[in-house]
Amino acid sequence: MMPRRERSQTEQLRQALAEREEQLAEAHARLAAIEGSTSLRVGQALTAAARSPRRGLARLPRDLYRLWRGSGRRSSAARRGRAEPVLSYAAERQEARLLSGNAGLRDERLLVAGVLAGDLQGGIGASCGADIAPDARVLPLRPHDAQVTFDSVDADLLLVSASAAAPGGPWAHVGQPAVVDRTRVLRWVLESAAARGIPSVLLLDGPCPPGLRQLGFDQVHSGNLGVPLHRYNPVAAGPERSGGPLWVPSGVHPPARSEVLAGLDTLSEPLTGRGDLREQLRNVATAVTDDHHAALRLLACGVRVLLRTDGTVRSEDTTARLRGQLPGLSHTAATDDRELAQSVADLRSAGPLSESERRATLRELFREHASFTLLGGILRGVLPDYASRGIIAPGTRRSVTVLAHPRDDEEAHQLASDVLAQLHPPVAVAVPQAATRLPALRELHAHGVPIHGVPELPATGPTPGDGVATPGANGTAAAADTLVREPTPVDWARLAETAQTPWVAPWRGPVDTTHLVDAVCAAECSGAEAVGPALPPWRASDPEPEDTDSAQSGPDYVFTHAIRPTLARRDLMAEGTHPGVWSRHGARLLALGRCPAQAATPGAHGPS
């Protein structure tokens, strides 16, 4: 079935082409009517007689008589039927290609027409367009050309943020009685969206003028678009976080009148587009804020946060829910400076987040509060049939295929247990064709996890002469002559070629439930092409290192030159080169070891 977007563009082309053919046929009919008119033919006869008086004047009475006799008859133009539009298949294909955009370019991301706040508006992280850029194409609408721009594209969603009405932007004060021109333009855009079947969403990420809410949106979403981990993360943070506490005002509420907060270092200028704010946050250990949205982004940068609330029931419920999920968040509802000073002192004594606290915090932000998660929820609420329209879900970019070479049924059972226990479950598992006959892998298929078998690829297992009994014809494993002891990079590449997901994860043994979610979260934060424990410089004579403690220890969330891949881009793994040379070929590698021992992860209630 052709996606709705392409079908709509083709229908627009067909209608435009038919209108052009009708106009051309009408022009031909008018020209024929003029050429067949009596006045024109009389003028032509007189002109011909004037050019040749000797012969023309002799024939002029006869010609005029014939014109008089035929003047009452139906003109030749009238006898000609209305010309039907000629629809050319080649022209239709050409016009459809032009309407679809650049030739050969297929972008299946969500197309959002947005009235959004810019980087210089609002408080911490007010740029909604940049927050969802990895998962959606954002078409900004401005008051002077919103009607023309919106009418010229086939958008999938109209997104309007309340923060766009803040002073200083092109849509400042929209929805207020004093600014009727911008409100009128936005109302026209909403009416056009409703007529064309484009859902509209109002994002309450700041103070909302009453007139803006009354324009009639299909859905009103309370809050912002979550935490954009590709913008706020602890990647390349300072090795020693000693600064703070840092006072981070929300930019929405008026500044707090407190001597305690006045004595703290205050966040410098808000977003400037150069990343200064994020660099400053990566070098402090603790911070205080009065906005829970800002608190989430501070936590994503690895900062321990004290959230100061106003004591209302709604704010207390929100804070209690967040504290139960995020170990790096504490809160206070202090009404005087003495209580607030004690809370700040406790925050300072707690110091920087530990490695396990930071990893657990990032994990929960990725699963519950990331921008792509909230955008996916909005999309499912207003556009449930987005898959049939040719739009990929925002979470598709984080899907993973596990690559494995199980040696025997015991390892296959361990593989099945690890895959089913993951907080970020993989989409599929790729194994050698000979290993698909292991009974333990049937458990994965029974739970809805597809098993992709790669033919002509030897499975890993005991080789003859090792003193290990080789399974017979009972179907529990492949024949002994097809088994090898250790997979090579070429073997991993053969498995990766069958994957249909952007990411692949080599499985080399037992892992915990947070194995994949931590790796995918690290890739989301860093934009790296491969994630795994850092390794010493690799030489061609060195074998691939085992999963030792030295390979698992070391710095995390920093770029390095060699890793043992826990997660890698499918195309990178499919090249078949040794991971030790990936960085020499320009790949971005992020160091991420095994998470330190910690308490049970809160909120482990299944896949996100």
Side-chain angles (χ1 to χ4, degrees), residues 238 240-246 280-288 298-299 301-306 328 347-348 350-354:
E240 297 294 335
R241 289 176 177 261
S242 58
L246 183 69
Q280 185 177 359
L281 295 179
R282 292 188 182 104
N283 290 281
V284 298
T286 54
V288 183
L298 291 169
L299 288 168
C301 294
V303 181
R304 190 182 297 276
V305 178
L306 173 64
L347 176 70
R348 184 182 285 109
L353 290 175
S354 65

Side-chain angles (χ1 to χ4, degrees), residues 181-453:
D181 53 343
R182 298 170 188 171
T183 307
R184 186 186 306 113
V185 172
L186 185 55
R187 180 181 291 108
W188 183 95
V189 172
L190 286 169
E191 293 175 353
S192 177
R196 297 163 57 187
I198 301 175
S200 56
V201 177
L202 175 61
L203 198 65
L204 296 180
D205 57 347
C208 181
L212 183 60
R213 187 190 290 264
Q214 297 173 1
L215 291 181
F217 291 86
D218 295 330
Q219 180 179 332
V220 178
H221 177 76
S222 298
N224 58 7
L225 287 175
V227 183
L229 292 175
H230 62 286
R231 302 181 64 208
Y232 295 91
N233 51 70
V235 174
E240 297 294 335
R241 289 176 177 261
S242 58
L246 183 69
W247 166 240
V248 183
S250 64
V252 177
H253 308 290
R257 299 181 180 275
S258 170
E259 295 182 0
V260 176
L261 298 179
L264 301 178
D265 295 333
T266 305
L267 184 71
S268 60
E269 290 295 325
L271 288 176
T272 61
R274 298 188 303 272
D276 298 345
L277 170 65
R278 295 182 287 275
E279 291 300 325
Q280 185 177 359
L281 295 179
R282 292 188 182 104
N283 290 281
V284 298
T286 54
V288 183
T289 184
D290 58 351
D291 183 9
H292 68 276
H293 295 303
L296 294 179
R297 303 196 178 196
L298 291 169
L299 288 168
C301 294
V303 181
R304 190 182 297 276
V305 178
L306 173 64
L307 177 60
R308 183 193 184 195
T309 60
D310 54 7
T312 61
V313 176
R314 180 177 179 181
S315 64
E316 292 299 319
D317 291 344
T318 302
T319 304
R321 177 175 56 84
L322 293 178
R323 287 184 61 196
Q325 301 172 345
L326 305 169
L329 179 66
S330 58
H331 113 282
T332 180
T335 57
D336 56 24
D337 282 353
R338 181 183 304 176
E339 297 178 2
L340 183 59
Q342 181 61 43
S343 299
V344 172
D346 295 340
L347 176 70
R348 184 182 285 109
S349 62
L353 290 175
S354 65
E355 182 62 32
S356 60
E357 287 177 326
R358 187 181 71 171
R359 190 75 67 86
T361 299
L362 286 172
R363 186 183 306 134
E364 192 62 28
L365 290 175
F366 175 81
R367 300 179 66 235
E368 298 293 340
H369 305 283
S371 295
F372 74 90
T373 302
L374 299 185
L375 180 62
I378 293 175
L379 189 61
R380 290 189 296 271
V382 298
L383 205 63
D385 59 338
Y386 63 89
S388 62
R389 298 170 178 244
I391 305 171
I392 62 173
T396 304
R397 295 178 62 254
R398 291 94 186 163
S399 55
V400 182
T401 296
V402 171
L403 314 179
H405 289 80
R407 300 171 184 267
D408 49 30
D409 195 66
E410 181 179 353
E411 286 198 359
H413 180 74
Q414 182 65 52
L415 169 64
S417 300
D418 290 346
V419 168
L420 295 177
Q422 292 301 308
L423 296 180
H424 186 81
V427 173
V429 176
V431 297
Q433 184 67 42
T436 58
R437 296 194 293 269
L438 294 171
L441 293 184
R442 299 172 187 169
E443 183 181 358
L444 291 176
H445 186 73
H447 284 79
V449 181
I451 304 296
H452 298 161

Side-chain angles (χ1 to χ4, degrees), residues 148-162:
V148 177
T149 303
F150 185 72
D151 197 33
S152 62
V153 298
D154 189 16
D156 301 309
L157 179 68
L158 175 62
L159 185 62
V160 179
S161 65

